[in-house]
Amino acid sequence: MCSTGNCKENVIATGRFVKEYWKGRGAMAAQMINKAENPLGVKPVGTLLAEFAIPSIIAMLVSALYNIVDQFFIGHYVGMLGNAATNVAFPLTISCTAISLMCGIGGAANFNLNMGRGDREKAAKYAGNAISMCFAIGMALCIITKIFLRPMMEAFGATDQTLAYSLTYTGITSFGFPFLIFTTGGSNLVRADGSPRFSMLCTLIGAIVNTVLDAVFMKVFYLGIEGAAWATVIGQVVSAVLVALYLTRFKTVQLGREYLKPAAACWGNIAKLGMSPCINQLAMMAVQIVLNNVLTFYGSTSKYGSDIPLACAGIISKVGMIFFSIVIGISQGMQPIVSFNYGAKQYQRVREVVWKSIACATVISIIAFLCFQIFPRQIIGLFGQESEEYFIFAERYFKIYLFFTFANQFQPIVANMYTSIGKAAAGALMSLTRQILFLMPLLIILPKFFGLDGAMYAAPVADFVAFLVAGAMLLKESHQLKVLQAGIEAEEHGAA
C-alpha cells in the first residue's frame, strides 16, 4: 500500500526508467529508481540531518561519558593520582576510536556510495568486510597492549606515583578493546542502514551499565580503580552484543556470512575512505602523548610539580571531548546523506547538508566556548576536590587551551565531507592540519621558551590556523559541487 503522492511518484519514476532504458541508459535509470526508493535521496535535507545527527550526537556523547564517568568516580574515590593514571591510559582509548572510525566510517561511506549508485551487492560486501575488519584489528590491539603494557604506560607519560594505577587500569580495560572497536565501528554501519536511533541505543545502554557498575564497584565494594576498569569493559560488551544482534537483521541488504570473509580490495578501500577520521584520532593520540610528556617534564621544574598538570590535562582533554563528540556526531550524521546523494549525483543536496551541518556545529561551538570561559572552576570541581594550587592551574589551563573552541567545528566536518564523497587524500590532509602540522610542532617548540605556558598557548594558535585552512577548503569544494550540479542540470535539459 502507498499514499496517493507516493504512488504517483513511483509511477513517474518507473516511466522515466522505461524511457531511459530504451535509450540505452540503463545505469542512469537504475539510479533514478534507487533515488525514488531511498529517503536519503528525496527527503528534505534539514529533516534528514536532524534524524541522523541527533541520535549520532547522543551516541557520541554517551561514548565520551565512558571516560567522563570513570574520571568522576575515580576522582572522588581514588583521587588525583587516579585521574592522572586515566590520562596516561587515554591514548589507547583514542587509538580504539581511530580504528573503529576507520573501519566504521570507511565501511559506511563505501556502503552508502554504492547504494546511491544502485549496486546493492557491492554495498553488502563492504558492510560485511567492515564488520570483520573491526573485530580482527580490535583483537590485535588487545594482544599488543597486553604484551607491551608497561613500556607503553612509561612512554605515555606515567610518573613513579601514577605508574601502578596506569598498569592496573589499562591492563583491565584492554580486554574491552575488541568490543569497543566493534561497537563504535558497527554503529556507523547501523546508522548507514537507516537506523540512527538504534545506533544511539546501543551506546546508551552500555553507558548506563558502566555508570551503575562504577557506583556499585567503587562505592559499595570499594574496588577502587579496578572497579572502574571492569565497569567500563562490561558496559562495552553489552553494547557490542546489541550491535551484533542488529547486524544479523540488516534492513537494506542481507548480510550473509559470505560477506564477512575478508577481501583485500574491500579492506583497502575501507581504510582509504576511513583514513581521514582515523588519522584525526591518531593525531590526537600522538598529541596527547607529547602533551603528557611535556607537562611532566616542564611541570617538574615549576611550582605545581608533574602530577597536577598531568591530572588537570586529563580532565580538560575529556571535557573537551564532550564538545568534540557533538561536532563529530553532526559530521557522522551527515555522512550517509552526503555519500548517498554524491553517489546519486545530487550535488545540490550535498552542498545543502554540509552547510547546514556547519551552521549547527557553529552554534554548539559558541555555547561550548562560553561555558569553558565562564565556568572552568565549576567544571573542574565536578571531578573531585583538591588543593587551591590545583584549581588555580586548572582554571588557567582550561581558559587558554580551549580558547578557540568557537572555531573548532570546521576541521572535523570538512574532513568528513571529503571522506563521504570519496576524496580520501583531501580528507586525510584535512585531518592532519590541526594536530600534526600545527599543534605538534608548537607543543615541542613553545615550551622551550615559555615552559608550561607554551604548552597551553600551542592549542589556540593551532586551532586558529586550522580554521583558516578548513574554511578555504570548504569554500573551494562547495564551488566545485555547484559546478557539477550545473553540469547535471544542463545534461538533463539537453536530454529533455
Side-chain angles (χ1 to χ4, degrees), residues 139-320:
M139 287 297 297
L141 181 63
C142 175
I143 293 169
I144 290 169
T145 302
K146 290 294 183 186
I147 296 172
F148 300 105
L149 180 58
R150 188 182 186 93
M152 278 183 173
M153 295 298 96
E154 291 173 343
F156 293 170
T159 65
D160 291 339
Q161 290 182 293
T162 60
L163 181 59
Y165 289 108
S166 301
L167 292 173
T168 299
Y169 184 79
T170 312
I172 295 171
T173 55
S174 59
F175 286 115
F177 289 171
F179 302 101
L180 173 58
I181 292 171
F182 179 80
T183 297
T184 308
S187 292
N188 283 281
L189 295 171
V190 172
R191 194 179 303 113
D193 190 47
S195 299
R197 292 183 181 177
F198 191 88
S199 174
M200 170 196 72
L201 187 65
C202 294
T203 310
L204 180 61
I205 291 175
I208 292 172
V209 170
N210 178 33
T211 303
V212 172
L213 291 180
D214 263 329
V216 172
F217 289 165
M218 299 185 74
K219 192 174 181 179
V220 178
F221 294 110
Y222 305 104
L223 294 181
I225 202 165
E226 292 182 21
W230 281 116
T232 298
V233 172
I234 294 170
Q236 290 165 351
V237 171
V238 171
S239 293
V241 169
L242 292 172
V243 171
L245 289 174
Y246 179 91
L247 294 175
T248 62
R249 296 171 176 83
F250 223 59
K251 294 190 304 184
T252 51
V253 296
Q254 187 174 358
L255 293 180
R257 291 183 180 179
E258 66 274 17
Y259 297 121
L260 298 174
K261 186 178 179 180
C266 284
W267 279 42
N269 286 330
I270 289 169
K272 182 179 177 182
L273 288 191
M275 193 53 62
S276 171
C278 177
I279 287 175
N280 190 46
Q281 292 294 318
L282 289 177
M284 288 175 61
M285 180 184 74
V287 166
Q288 189 70 47
I289 294 170
V290 171
L291 179 61
N292 286 351
N293 282 281
V294 166
L295 292 174
T296 300
F297 179 79
Y298 289 99
S300 64
T301 62
S302 73
K303 64 179 180 179
Y304 301 107
S306 298
D307 293 319
I308 286 179
L310 196 60
C312 292
I315 293 172
I316 290 166
S317 294
K318 292 182 177 71
V319 171

Side-chain angles (χ1 to χ4, degrees), residues 21 63 105 112 189 245 249 283 328 365 375 469 489:
Y21 180 83
S63 181
I105 290 182
N112 287 123
L189 295 171
L245 289 174
R249 296 171 176 83
I328 292 171
S365 300
F375 307 112
V469 173
E489 291 173 356

